Amino acid sequence: MDQPALQFVMETVVDAVNFDGDVTALASRAQEGDQGAVSELTRAFAALAVLTGIRLRPARLSKEDAAQEAILVLMGIVKRGTKRIAAELPGAIEARFDALEKRSDGS
């Protein structure tokens, strides 16, 4: 990964460590469309998403692209209002990568 990408990963870790919010309350607000709650939860779980995306990425996908896809998956989970973000995230990222692989294979 290049330096800006590594810097982004480090910033997401700091955000995760510093998060002290109420996931249940924020998830409810996010489900109702509160963009501040979506943003706060996305920042809180971005490190998990990025690192999971990098670890599960298909070979043809760069680490940066895998991280970006993982963040998009995270945002979708957050907007649904789930309180089980950490539990749902790895499977959802894996499903996104599987779908991308099928699309690139022409399936």
Side-chain angles (χ1 to χ4, degrees), residues 12 15-17 19 23 26 39-48 74:
T12 65
D15 287 341
V17 169
F19 177 72
V23 173
L26 287 168
S39 180
E40 191 170 344
L41 285 172
T42 299
R43 279 192 315 275
F45 288 92
L48 179 61
L74 171 62

Side-chain angles (χ1 to χ4, degrees), residues 33-80:
D34 181 330
Q35 291 305 306
V38 169
S39 180
E40 191 170 344
L41 285 172
T42 299
R43 279 192 315 275
F45 288 92
L48 179 61
V50 167
L51 296 174
T52 301
I54 290 169
R55 192 55 39 218
L56 297 178
R57 75 185 172 88
R60 67 158 193 80
L61 202 60
S62 72
K63 290 178 182 176
E64 290 83 359
D65 288 344
Q68 184 174 10
E69 288 294 330
I71 292 290
L72 293 174
V73 169
L74 171 62
M75 291 175 69
I77 289 172
V78 167
K79 288 178 181 178
R80 282 199 328 261

Side-chain angles (χ1 to χ4, degrees), residues 89-106:
L89 191 58
I93 291 170
E94 192 167 37
R96 169 72 65 98
F97 290 164
D98 287 347
L100 289 173
E101 285 292 292
K102 287 179 184 174
R103 232 183 290 154
S104 72
D105 292 344

